[in-house]
Amino acid sequence: MTAMRLISWLLLLVFMQSGVFAARRFRGGRNPQPRRTPPSPTYRDRGDTTESFPLDFTAVEENMDNFMTQVKNLAQSLYPCSAQKLDYDMKLHFLENTSVTCNDGTPAGYYMKESRGSRRWLIFLEGGWYCFNKENCDSRYDTMRRLMSSSKWPQTKTGTGILSPLPEENPHWWNANMVFIPYCSSDVWSGASAKTDHSGYAFMGSLIIQEVVKDLLTKGLDNAKVLLLAGSSAGGTGVLLNVDPVAELLEGLGHPGIQVRGLADSGWFLDNKQYRSTDCHDTISCAPTEAIKRGIKYWGSVVPERCRQVHLGEEWNCFFGYRVFPSIKSPVFVVQWLFDEAQLTVDNIHLTGQPVQEGQWRYIQNLGIELRNTLKDVPAMFAPACLSHEVITRNYWIDVQVKGTSLPRALHCWDRSLQDNSRNNKAPPKGCPVHLIDSCPWPHCNPTCPTIRDQFTGQEMNVIQFLMHMGFDVQKMAQQQGMDPSKLLGMLSSGS
């Protein structure tokens, strides 16, 4: 059975399902509606942004989740028929412009999987810290060459999480055109400088993104309606720095109709005071502000013009989410763990498996409070009270919830709200939240957080075991909260 025949059968079954839903509704179910003639299915207008295949959802709009679950199950049931013939991998392409390179001068590039017929594109920026002087860049080149050179990149890459082509792993973006840009510029996707004798390396992160977009225009992006620029960690910060420049590039190249949006995962860092100050020798020990101040000079960084105007002479501010966000024009969805492991690392809180000291515990709790405060005015965001780093390309990204809503669901709601706004319907979709932040105060107080394992035994830990492991004093904390210790334990167990 060919892939095309599979798709045809899927669409036929979808229409049949749609008819079943409509029939139930019109035959006097729990919420009977006045009879009306459903429109005949036709191919969608090219101006629509929601789906890449022709469906009329009018008859099932109140049963959308159930309907999409059945569509997904139908799709999954058909996959085994052609598992040997369908290729889900993204394939490596090097840039047409060979002057834009990785740190060591090898060609930069991207991985791509086309989804013919879809007008939605997802470009993902990989993360992986940075280096900010010749000495620590040399060390990075010796130990993490993949993040500075394309010489050993594989020919294909399998997408996971939001890059997965499987609807059970990626319920709302599985059929988009997927692009993965490997991180090989070590500059938080901000550099625009060629290799020099002084630096020893090229730093071209921002130029790599621009050249990838130009190349993709010849591969179908010119017909896109939505372009989601996503990224994790340094890639998440890269989204905040580049989403507006990408929108401006496309408009300048004659494509103002492409709706450019951002999805920043684990890239919303704070320029806070470290728990314990240390000398700035390397990426891990250096305070975030000092590392970026040194880096932007070494990288020849460019920052978004509106942010630059606000912070003239102190452009380093634009690398910190809460400082750059007010100047961003494009819609951006922020995903941020409230207790981000990378943030704790640069703040010199190292969770090595030993119980934390009381001062460290207070610092960790205050970090969650600070992050909440910086996110309160972000309209679209998802912030679980978990100790972790990165999520949107993890296969468990569908399992984490905030207040009963999963991240894929929240992103789908955000999509719908942007769609409705473009139709001058300012009211958010009913029962479809997009501003989701945990209110519980401790790491992993959310029971849907990713599993934590004991570093020495490898055993999974529940939230109470984890907090005890970190030196959490139930009696003392209950006293501070003015409650019975057993009640506090019950709340922790349930994630209240």
Side-chain angles (χ1 to χ4, degrees), residues 117-135:
S118 174
R119 300 182 70 196
R120 298 202 301 169
W121 288 71
L122 193 159
I123 297 178
F124 180 85
L125 309 180
E126 186 182 26
W129 293 89
Y130 46 80
C131 58
F132 54 82
N133 61 33
K134 181 72 163 59
E135 184 181 10

Side-chain angles (χ1 to χ4, degrees), residues 135-313:
E135 184 181 10
N136 57 47
C137 284
D138 284 344
S139 174
R140 180 180 172 92
Y141 193 69
D142 289 340
T143 58
M144 294 186 283
R145 190 163 301 185
R146 181 189 67 80
L147 294 173
M148 299 182 76
S149 173
S150 64
S151 59
K152 293 190 176 178
W153 286 353
Q155 289 301 303
T156 61
K157 187 170 186 63
T158 302
T160 53
I162 200 169
L163 292 170
S164 172
L166 305 176
E168 65 266 32
E169 187 175 338
N170 187 14
H172 302 297
W173 278 87
W174 62 273
N175 68 326
N177 296 277
M178 303 292 189
V179 178
F180 177 99
I181 313 182
Y183 184 39
C184 68
S185 57
S186 309
D187 57 3
V188 198
W189 297 98
S190 70
S193 62
K195 185 176 180 179
T196 65
D197 291 338
H198 168 68
S199 67
Y201 297 98
F203 297 98
M204 297 187 167
S206 67
L207 300 181
I208 290 170
I209 295 171
Q210 302 257 322
E211 291 301 318
V212 169
V213 170
K214 290 177 188 175
D215 282 10
L216 293 176
L217 286 171
T218 67
K219 296 178 174 9
L221 180 64
D222 58 323
N223 191 42
K225 288 306 296 179
V226 175
L227 167 57
L228 181 63
L229 182 67
S232 293
S233 193
T237 308
V239 169
L240 300 173
L241 291 170
N242 288 280
V243 64
D244 276 354
V246 166
E248 291 157 9
L249 171 68
L250 287 169
E251 186 170 356
L253 293 173
H255 301 283
I258 300 176
Q259 300 173 35
V260 179
R261 304 168 184 170
L263 171 58
D265 166 30
S266 304
W268 188 276
F269 292 103
L270 299 182
D271 53 343
N272 57 344
K273 185 178 179 181
Q274 291 175 295
Y275 172 69
R276 179 172 46 85
S277 296
T278 52
D279 293 333
C280 185
H281 293 304
D282 55 34
T283 306
I284 304 299
S285 65
C286 196
T289 50
E290 186 59 33
I292 295 300
K293 285 177 183 178
R294 297 184 186 195
I296 58 176
K297 294 176 183 175
Y298 189 52
W299 306 326
S301 294
V302 292
V303 298
E305 181 60 22
R306 278 178 294 278
C307 189
R308 190 185 73 81
Q309 292 289 348
V310 174
H311 299 287
L312 280 173

Side-chain angles (χ1 to χ4, degrees), residues 263-267 333-337 381-382 384 391-392 407 411:
L263 171 58
D265 166 30
S266 304
F333 192 106
V334 174
V335 179
Q336 188 66 39
W337 304 110
M381 43 83 76
F382 186 88
V391 64
I392 61 174
L407 177 51
L411 287 171

Side-chain angles (χ1 to χ4, degrees), residues 348-424:
N348 280 322
I349 295 283
H350 302 290
L351 303 176
T352 58
Q354 299 298 318
V356 300
Q357 300 166 4
E358 186 172 347
Q360 291 175 311
W361 180 247
R362 278 199 307 271
Y363 187 95
I364 292 169
Q365 285 186 280
N366 286 334
L367 173 64
I369 294 169
E370 285 185 64
L371 264 167
R372 271 191 203 91
N373 288 337
T374 65
L375 290 167
K376 66 180 185 296
D377 295 325
V378 177
M381 43 83 76
F382 186 88
C386 305
L387 177 71
S388 195
H389 185 61
E390 303 189 1
V391 64
I392 61 174
T393 57
R394 310 296 195 211
N395 55 14
Y396 56 73
W397 82 300
I398 62 175
D399 300 323
V400 181
Q401 296 185 2
V402 174
K403 298 176 181 175
T405 299
S406 70
L407 177 51
R409 170 70 176 165
L411 287 171
H412 181 57
C413 291
W414 180 56
D415 255 353
R416 287 180 58 191
S417 69
L418 294 174
Q419 229 173 276
D420 290 343
N421 284 346
S422 69
R423 296 170 182 164
N424 296 318

